[in-house]
Structures are given as C-alpha cells and as structure tokens.
Amino acid sequence: MSTPTTSSSTAGHLAKLREFARTDEARPALLGFLGALMITAGGLGAGSTRSHDPVLESMHLSWLRFGHGLVLSSVLLWGGVALMLVAWLWLGRRMLDHGSSEYTMLATTGFWLAPLLLSVPLFSRDTYSYLAQGALLRDGFDPYVVGPIENPNALLDNVSPIWTTTTAPYGPAFILVAKFVTMITGDNVIAGTMVLRLCMLPGLALLIWAAPRIARHIGASGAVALWICVLNPLVIIHLMGGVHNEMLMVGLMAAGIALVFSRRFVAGFVVATVAVAVKATAGLALPFMVWVWIRALRERGHRRLTAFAMAAAGSIAIFVGVFAVLSLAAGVGLGWLTALAGSVKIINWLTVPTAIANVTNAVGGLFFGVNFYAVLDATRIAGIIIIAVSLPLLWWRFRHDDRETLVGIGWAMLVVVLFVPAALPWYYTWPLAIIAAIAQSRPAVAAIAGFSTWIMVIFKPDGSHGMYVWVHVILATVCAVAAWYYLKRAEQPTAQ
C-alpha cells in the first residue's frame, strides 16, 4: 500500500471543505466569511491603519480614511462585525439545540479566518509596538531597558505615543519572535504586520488542538469548547485580526495543560513555560498543573510529601531551565517583569478597581470634590491585595482532581483580569480557553456570548473605546442582552 502524498492529502481536505460548504451546516460559516470580507475591506479606512500609508496613496484609496470615505469604511467594517457576531450566535444556537461536530467548528474557523489574514490591524495598534520592540533587540538595544523611542525608524511612527517610552512587558520568547520578524521584513510595516500575524497561527493551531482534548478529558463537548474559545469573535477578530501575542500565549498554555492531563508532564511543563515566556499571565496555570503531577505520583504509590517534593522540584527545574535557555537565546534578563506595571497607563471600565474609581468620580463629583487619581490609586491597591489573597486560596481549594484544576485556573485568571489595575478586551481571552471546557450549560454559554458581544462592540476599530460615550455603551449593552437572550431560550418543539 502506498503512502498518500502531501498534495493528495491537501486535495482531499479541500474536497471535504467544498462538500461542507454545500451543506446546511455551512450557512453560519458562509455568513461569517462575508462578514470577515467586509471587515477586511472596511479596515483599510477604519481599522488601526498606519499614520502615513503610501500603499493606500499609491492606490488612490487614501480617501477611505477621511470624511465620507471614513464613514463608508466604518459602516462596512461594523457591518462585517455584526455579520460575524450573528453567524457566531447562529452557530451557537444550532449547537445548543441540535449539536454540532468538531469538524463544523474547524471548517467554520477556516472560513472566518482566511479574509482576516490580509486585513490591517483591527481594534488595536499593539502590533506596531511589537515590531518596534523587536527592532530594538535586532539593532542591539535591550527592550527591557529602553523604549522604542530610543531607536528612531519607520516602525516608531506608528506606535501609540503612550507606549513609545515604555519598555517591553513581554517575555524572551515573544521578543525573539518579534526580532526575527523585523530581521526578515526590516522596517516595512505592512510586511512586518503580515508576517507577525502568521506567527500567531501556531498559537491558534495549538488552541484548536488542545481545547477539545481538555474538554473531552473531563467529559465535556469538544465542539462547544471550540465555539467558546476559538470561534469567539474576541479570538478571531481581536487576537488574529488585531495581531495580539495573547494568541501565542493562550495556545501554548492550553497545549501545556492538555499534555499534562495526558500525563506527559515534562512536555506539558516545557510548553507551558514557553507560554509564560511569551506573556507572564500563563504562569497562573503552572501551580495548579503541579497538583496533576502530584496526583499521578500518588497513584504510583508515592507518599504525599514525597510526591509533592518530586512534582514541585521537577516543575521548578523545567521552568528555570526553559526560561534560562530562552533568555540566553534572546540575550536579555528579567527586566520585562518590571515593565508589567506599564498597564497602569490604561484607564477604562474593564476592571473592577477602575470601574469603581470612575463611578465614585461620576456620582461623588455631583456632591463634593473628588480626586479621581487618588481614588484610582486606592482602588487599584485594593485590587492587588484581593489578587494576592485569592490566588493562594484558589490554588489550595481546587487541588483534588483534573476538573478542579481547570476550575482553579479559570477562577485565578478571572480574578486577575477583573482586579488588575487595567485590562483590554483581549485580556478576557485568557480565561476563555479554560472555562470553554467547564462552562457548557445553556445559561453559561448564553452568559459568555452576551459578555463577549459587549466587549467586542464597546471598542472601536482604530483601537480606542467608547466607554465614556453613553450612546455607545447603551448600544453595546443592547447587543449583549440580545445575544444572551437569543442563546438562553431553547428552541420550541415543532408541532406534529
């Protein structure tokens, strides 16, 4: 029997995809594909475009960024977002009412993602900061010591002013990725953006591989998990369309957890440590993963303290070894940890401390003078205390089985994203990858859909947000309630 060639295998996959496209199951996929095309087209004028774009000028399309052209681009882009949200909710309703296969989710992901691979950055300008930080390392600077402003080039022109003086808050693995991208593309912003987006694809592939495996491991649905944490517009539009390194971090973290659940501990901790070396948030999962290793050692007959010592020593050794190798490869130290505090520059309603400070300022200011920044400092300190107290308690509470491990990681990430000094929409993809396996009831899925819709709509395609514009807030809230209600109600049985 001959082994099928790669080309024949690819042809088989394409034939299967064409067959899927002709079925009723593909209708949400095709609607979302149309939405993604509209987003890509509208992004040329209304997305997070370059400050000066000679490509648009050479194509005589600069008019898309101003006046009536900007209005047209915005309508096109927001129309595409609406279609993708409708397609996602439509697919979710079908999934809850009749069930869907994992292949349907995978094929739909391909349809929705393909057009966005060619889009400008969407809803964020972070990709320009990534490239500028990679160029720092490329040009002999330490991105953990100096900000992009110390290395004037074409990339710097597109970095948000607030981040030009900020040192990189990302781990050595991602700084290496950014460096290699700029080595390949130079200071070409468009080529750098496209290559950097391609570098996020392994993260998406790992999440697609890991999410259903984690779900099936605890007796949940792999298809539902994919709908929650892969097809979610926060992932497709924000992480892939916006080119965020969360895509790499979340994919690596989920893959590490899946490997640990399959009792491949060394591989699992290596992969999870690489996730931490992309972004520190993945480190929240590691202490909970140690409990899985401890339970496996206990099953082999080791005593409790011996199992704890072996698992703790093994995980720490792997973490230190992998991190040392990556840091040496990048030629950097641990300075990125001090840059994590840079998020305090962000002020919006997406975390509890900042929301409380905003409400106190808005309501209290009606009756007496309020020093907003003093209140904000106090609420943020309280948030840090809540995180510091909660994490050890969660780690000890959720230690008994693999499902509890997931619940603990999910709660830890939710507590952090809610009580850190500041957050952005894509931060909420951190817990999504975890709760996708444990929050699969209809009420839970409906709540996730409503919240994801609100987060998706509240931000603007150019990277700004509408949280201080009441019309925008009301519109986002109406959309969120509609999404929640659509998935919450069950399909009525057909009369015989």
Side-chain angles (χ1 to χ4, degrees):
M1 180 182 294
S2 60
T3 303
T5 63
T6 303
S7 58
S8 63
S9 177
T10 302
H13 287 304
L14 290 175
K16 188 175 181 181
L17 199 60
R18 285 194 297 270
E19 182 181 346
F20 167 78
R22 292 192 290 266
T23 65
D24 182 66
E25 283 289 309
R27 291 169 68 190
L30 297 176
L31 181 63
F33 176 74
L34 176 60
L37 286 175
M38 292 171 63
I39 291 172
T40 300
L44 290 173
S48 303
T49 53
R50 299 170 61 187
S51 301
H52 304 286
D53 199 325
V55 175
L56 283 181
E57 292 171 4
S58 65
M59 298 171 64
H60 304 290
L61 293 175
S62 294
W63 61 274
L64 289 172
R65 301 175 58 190
F66 309 101
H68 293 92
L70 178 57
V71 172
L72 175 63
S73 297
S74 299
V75 170
L76 196 61
L77 193 152
W78 277 116
V81 170
L83 285 185
M84 287 199 73
L85 282 169
V86 168
W88 181 57
L89 296 171
W90 186 11
L91 181 60
R93 179 65 178 271
R94 286 183 165 202
M95 173 189 72
L96 291 174
D97 289 339
H98 309 293
S100 295
S101 68
E102 290 183 21
Y103 180 78
T104 295
M105 301 300 169
L106 295 177
T108 302
T109 302
F111 275 101
W112 293 3
L113 178 63
L116 295 178
L117 293 178
L118 301 175
S119 75
V120 304
L122 300 167
F123 292 90
S124 169
R125 305 184 67 84
D126 280 6
T127 183
Y128 304 127
S129 297
Y130 299 159
L131 294 172
Q133 289 158 0
L136 282 173
L137 191 60
R138 178 199 66 189
D139 296 338
F141 297 90
D142 188 339
Y144 300 157
V145 176
V146 300
I149 199 169
E150 299 296 328
N151 187 29
N153 52 46
L155 299 172
L156 182 62
D157 295 340
N158 299 285
V159 179
S160 297
I162 193 175
W163 303 124
T164 55
T165 58
T166 305
T167 55
Y170 312 115
F174 183 71
I175 291 297
L176 273 175
V177 170
K179 173 189 175 181
F180 289 141
V181 169
T182 56
M183 288 176 66
I184 294 170
T185 63
D187 293 340
N188 188 309
V189 179
I190 296 176
T193 298
M194 295 303 176
V195 174
L196 192 59
R197 181 180 277 126
L198 292 178
C199 291
M200 302 302 139
L201 281 177
L204 181 63
L206 286 171
L207 184 60
I208 289 172
W209 176 83
R213 283 170 170 78
I214 293 173
R216 291 194 296 267
H217 180 76
I218 63 169
S221 165
V224 176
L226 288 170
W227 183 87
I228 290 174
C229 72
V230 172
L231 284 164
N232 194 308
L234 287 180
V235 175
I236 295 292
I237 299 177
H238 271 297
L239 295 196
M240 289 304 302
V243 198
H244 286 291
N245 57 10
E246 264 85 0
M247 189 74 263
L248 276 178
M249 184 270 285
V250 169
L252 286 163
M253 178 185 68
I257 294 171
L259 288 168
V260 165
F261 280 172
S262 65
R263 301 310 189 250
R264 288 176 280 180
F265 296 106
V266 174
F269 275 90
V270 167
V271 172
T273 301
V274 176
V276 180
V278 171
K279 198 161 188 175
T281 314
L284 294 171
L286 293 176
F288 292 92
M289 292 162 61
V290 173
W291 288 123
V292 184
W293 202 344
I294 292 172
R295 289 194 295 271
L297 291 171
R298 291 277 291 151
E299 290 168 2
R300 297 174 191 169
H302 293 282
R303 298 190 178 194
R304 183 179 290 106
L305 288 179
T306 302
F308 185 90
M310 291 173 65
S315 57
I316 291 172
I318 293 169
F319 181 86
V320 172
V322 172
F323 228 92
V325 169
L326 290 171
S327 297
L328 287 172
V332 295
L334 297 176
W336 62 289
L337 294 174
T338 60
L340 294 175
S343 63
V344 297
K345 297 179 180 180
I346 303 169
I347 299 177
N348 59 40
W349 293 75
L350 289 183
T351 65
V352 173
T354 313
I356 291 175
N358 275 290
V359 171
T360 302
N361 183 60
V363 178
L366 297 175
F367 305 99
F368 49 84
V370 175
N371 186 331
F372 172 74
Y373 289 101
V375 175
L376 182 62
D377 288 341
T379 56
R380 284 178 166 178
I381 290 172
I384 296 299
I385 293 172
I386 290 172
I387 291 173
V389 172
S390 298
L391 294 184
L393 294 176
L394 290 170
W395 178 72
W396 183 253
R397 164 64 181 82
F398 296 104
R399 69 185 189 277
H400 301 100
D401 56 42
D402 290 354
R403 182 181 178 82
E404 281 200 3
T405 296
L406 279 181
V407 174
I409 297 172
W411 272 113
M413 291 201 161
L414 198 57
V415 166
V416 167
V417 80
L418 285 175
F419 290 98
V420 288
L424 291 163
W426 43 95
Y427 287 19
Y428 284 89
T429 62
W430 305 344
L432 268 183
I434 307 302
I435 66 174
I438 55 179
Q440 296 197 353
S441 66
R442 182 180 288 270
V445 169
I448 290 170
F451 185 74
S452 298
T453 299
W454 191 87
I455 292 288
M456 185 72 247
V457 176
I458 200 64
F459 256 63
K460 300 178 183 178
D462 63 358
S464 62
H465 63 78
M467 296 183 193
Y468 295 98
V469 180
W470 286 110
V471 172
H472 196 142
V473 173
I474 293 171
L475 179 62
T477 303
V478 169
C479 291
V481 171
W484 165 79
Y485 180 74
Y486 178 69
L487 290 187
K488 180 180 179 295
R489 62 190 183 93
E491 183 178 81
Q492 297 299 319
T494 304
Q496 296 296 323

